């Protein structure tokens, strides 16, 4: 939902580069505010520049942070928060793509599809409008191929590419059960031979294919001469390199250098979880933050120490055991007698501070996501496509709700 007074339009033509340029300037100028992660810093570098904002954020509760998390720009916090929030809202405003009435889905086609996934598929499919009717859908990283089957109409063909053999087999069985003629191919789309599978008559569609996977599609589809494609990207940080490698000439000319941690920012919006899941997530983070305080003392080094992700059963251990095991895992010196409840309380206090300080980074979450997707859009523009970039559903259905439509005359 665009904020009041913000002009939210589908981006196309020259507005793609204009928006990219504005976002690039905003993100580059304020890197010091969004790159350092509160989780790994006891004190963030910007806190000395903006002490009033830092104190204000640090003084708030965990519940207050939680309630502002999905829409940090609506928080009335001291400057420069308010000005940055206004910039964030206007720079990330993008309109909804127009919908068209979908043919009714085949009988029981949504059986076996989780409800939310089916709604995403319906929303995605209802925004696909191309000058030429697609002849052959190519469902890229298709899972079981639910999206492709939903799109398939009489007279059209469908090929699904997926590398998980179990999903390929389930997809094939589902297509047979619905009497739909679809080819489910077991294929690693990153493999060299994938290029030979793309044909100019294909209309590739990709719903939530991760980083390298959808970038690969953009490159192969444009090289194969596909006339049209539709991509809703996801997980920009799932890439094989350790730094982001831009694909458009505008992004290649940017001063912004993005690490994997930076690329994870757009995905840091946590979906609304139930109370139990939230409690588990919070406990895990509070314990890690407490352990971080402890390890700094044990090592005598005031630096964050990365720890591996741990099985959730670790949260059932008493806190002291949790720390002993984690210290052993990290080969730290023996922990002497400790006031465990004080450490644990310090972890919870730090969690509240971290979550509130993260609200400032949150203002850059959507702008960075838009910068990344505009890199893809501008690359397609350079390849001779007309590009439309808009949203295909509301955020609660999926925060990864940008859809890129490209077609060549
Ligand atoms: C997030 S899921 C999306 C699946 C489907 N498009 C959907 O919306 O339900 C990503 C899919 O990509 C597949 N995948 C991951 N890496 C792949 C690769 N290298 N080649 C082909 N498929 C891959 C996964 O197995 C998974 O099914």
């Amino acid at each position: 939902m665009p904020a009041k007074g913000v002009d939210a339009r589908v981006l196309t033509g020259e507005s793609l580069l204009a928006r990219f340029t504005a976002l690039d300037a905003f993100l580059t100028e304020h890197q010091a505010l969004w790159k350092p992660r509160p989780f790994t810093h006891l004190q963030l570098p910007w806190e000395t520049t903006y002490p009033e904002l830092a104190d204000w954020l640090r003084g708030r509760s965990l519940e207050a942070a939680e309630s502002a998390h999905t829409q940090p720009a609506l928080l009335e916090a001291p400057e420069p928060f308010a000005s940055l929030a206004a910039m964030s809202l206007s720079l990330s405003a993008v309109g909804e793509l127009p919908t068209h009435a979908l043919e009714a889905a085949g009988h029981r086609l949504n059986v076996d599809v989780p409800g939310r996934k089916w709604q995403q598929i319906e929303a995605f499919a209802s925004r696909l409008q191309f000058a030429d009717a697609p002849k052959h859908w190519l469902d890229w990283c298709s899972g079981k191929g639910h999206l492709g089957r939903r799109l398939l109409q009489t007279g059209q063909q469908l090929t699904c590419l997926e590398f998980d053999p179990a999903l390929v087999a389930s997809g094939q069985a589902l297509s047979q059960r619905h009497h739909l003629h679809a080819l489910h191919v077991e294929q690693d789309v990153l493999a060299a031979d994938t290029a030979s599978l793309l044909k100019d008559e294909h209309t590739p569609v990709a719903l939530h294919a991760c980083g390298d996977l959808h970038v690969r599609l953009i490159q192969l589809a444009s090289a194969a001469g596909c006339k049209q494609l539709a991509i809703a990207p996801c997980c920009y940080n799932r890439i094989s390199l350790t730094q982001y490698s831009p694909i458009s000439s505008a992004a290649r000319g940017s001063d912004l250098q993005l690490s994997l941690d930076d690329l994870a920012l757009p995905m840091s919006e946590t979906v609304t979880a139930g109370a139990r899941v939230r409690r588990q997530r919070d406990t895990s983070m509070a314990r890690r933050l407490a352990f971080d305080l402890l390890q700094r003392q044990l090592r005598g080094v005031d630096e964050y120490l990365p720890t591996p992700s741990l099985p959730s059963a670790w949260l059932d251990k008493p806190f002291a055991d949790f720390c002993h095991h984690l210290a052993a895992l990290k080969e730290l010196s023996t922990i002497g007698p400790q006031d465990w409840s004080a450490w644990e309380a310090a972890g919870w206090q730090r969690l509240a501070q971290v979550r509130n300080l993260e609200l400032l980074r949150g203002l850059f979450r959507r702008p960075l996501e838009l910068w990344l997707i505009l890199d893809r859009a501008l690359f397609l523009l350079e390849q001779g496509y007309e590009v439309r970039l808009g949203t295909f559903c509301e955020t609660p259905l999926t925060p990864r709700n940008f859809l890129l439509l490209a077609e060549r005359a």
Side-chain angles (χ1 to χ4, degrees):
M1 176 89 61
K4 277 202 195 94
V6 169
D7 181 18
R9 293 190 195 164
V10 170
L11 300 180
T12 181
E14 289 174 1
S15 66
L16 294 163
L17 182 59
R19 183 66 70 88
F20 178 85
T21 309
L23 281 163
D24 191 52
F26 179 64
L27 289 164
T28 307
E29 181 184 348
H30 301 296
Q31 304 186 54
L33 303 184
W34 61 267
K35 286 202 165 188
R37 292 159 58 215
F39 195 84
T40 60
H41 288 72
L42 286 188
Q43 170 95 25
L44 292 156
W46 62 260
E47 291 190 66
T48 44
T49 322
Y50 302 114
E52 192 195 344
L53 175 60
D55 286 350
W56 190 87
L57 290 168
R58 281 182 178 275
R60 286 162 39 95
S61 68
L62 185 56
E63 294 71 30
E66 184 78 28
S67 65
H69 172 78
T70 49
Q71 289 194 296
L74 303 185
L75 188 68
E76 289 181 13
E79 285 293 359
F81 198 97
S83 313
L84 294 168
M87 285 292 284
S88 164
L89 284 174
S90 76
L91 286 174
S92 46
V94 172
E96 259 180 65
L97 285 159
T99 43
H100 67 97
L102 273 184
E103 298 268 338
H107 181 58
R108 293 170 62 76
L109 197 61
N110 59 340
V111 174
D112 295 323
V113 190
R116 184 181 285 266
K117 173 58 69 184
W118 183 253
Q119 284 174 279
Q120 291 172 10
I121 287 173
E122 287 273 308
F124 183 106
S126 70
R127 314 282 172 164
L128 301 193
Q129 258 174 330
F130 297 112
D132 288 340
K135 299 183 189 71
H136 189 153
W137 297 104
L138 183 73
D139 189 347
W140 189 260
C141 301
S142 59
K144 295 180 185 175
H146 298 307
L147 173 65
R149 270 189 301 277
R150 179 62 184 97
L151 292 168
L152 189 61
Q153 297 292 320
T154 315
Q156 296 178 333
Q157 296 180 59
L158 168 64
T159 299
C160 297
L161 300 185
E162 166 60 50
F163 83 158
D164 179 334
L167 295 176
V168 174
S170 306
Q172 192 74 67
L174 280 168
S175 292
Q176 272 162 11
R177 196 201 301 167
H178 292 289
H179 309 290
L180 294 174
H181 185 69
L183 195 60
H184 291 258
V185 182
E186 186 183 323
Q187 177 71 25
D188 174 358
V189 299
L190 299 178
D193 61 351
T194 309
S196 65
L197 299 178
L198 274 107
K199 304 283 180 258
D200 57 1
E201 75 265 19
H202 282 148
T203 297
V205 287
L207 172 57
H208 295 162
C210 301
D212 279 342
L213 305 177
H214 69 258
V215 170
R216 176 104 171 126
L217 170 59
I218 288 171
Q219 288 164 332
L220 293 184
S222 49
C226 296
K227 283 189 79 176
Q228 51 211 20
L229 60 143
I231 299 178
C234 147
C235 302
Y236 300 91
N237 56 336
R238 295 237 182 130
I239 56 172
S240 61
L241 304 174
T242 53
Q243 281 279 325
Y244 183 64
S245 171
I247 53 174
S248 68
S249 47
R252 282 202 304 272
S254 164
D255 288 336
L256 218 50
Q257 299 286 319
L258 299 171
S259 68
L260 294 183
D261 276 346
D262 300 335
L263 292 171
L265 176 61
M267 269 72 61
S268 65
E269 176 172 351
T270 50
V271 285
T272 326
R276 198 184 60 83
V277 174
R278 249 190 355 244
R279 183 78 194 162
Q280 201 175 44
R281 187 190 67 204
D282 290 349
T283 306
S284 163
M285 286 184 79
R287 281 188 166 198
R288 280 168 177 280
L289 288 166
F291 180 80
D292 182 53
L293 295 171
L294 175 65
Q295 68 78 17
R296 285 174 196 249
Q297 192 186 77
L298 288 176
R299 293 197 301 149
V301 180
D302 195 12
E303 264 174 26
Y304 175 73
L305 180 72
T307 50
S309 65
L310 302 167
S312 59
W314 276 54
L315 298 180
D316 300 330
K317 299 177 190 212
F319 179 61
D321 294 356
F322 174 92
C323 289
H324 278 293
H325 289 138
L326 199 48
L329 205 68
K330 296 300 293 184
E331 297 176 353
L332 298 184
S333 59
T334 330
I335 310 179
Q338 300 288 337
D339 181 348
W340 292 111
S341 54
W343 281 119
E344 197 167 11
W348 280 99
Q349 188 188 15
R350 217 181 134 199
L351 178 65
Q353 293 175 353
V354 163
R355 284 275 167 72
N356 279 291
L357 291 165
E358 274 173 350
L359 295 172
L360 181 61
R361 289 190 89 213
L363 297 179
F364 297 90
R365 201 162 59 202
R366 197 69 166 165
L368 180 58
E369 179 169 13
L370 191 51
W371 186 100
L372 289 164
I373 195 163
L374 280 166
D375 180 27
R376 286 125 178 93
L378 293 169
F379 174 84
L380 285 163
L381 208 64
E382 286 165 19
Q383 307 305 310
Y385 286 91
E386 274 181 27
V387 178
R388 284 169 288 156
L389 171 58
T391 58
F392 70 98
C393 66
E394 298 281 347
T395 332
L397 187 55
T398 167
R400 303 284 76 71
N401 65 348
F402 282 130
L403 177 58
L404 200 57
L405 299 178
E407 57 191 314
R408 260 180 188 153

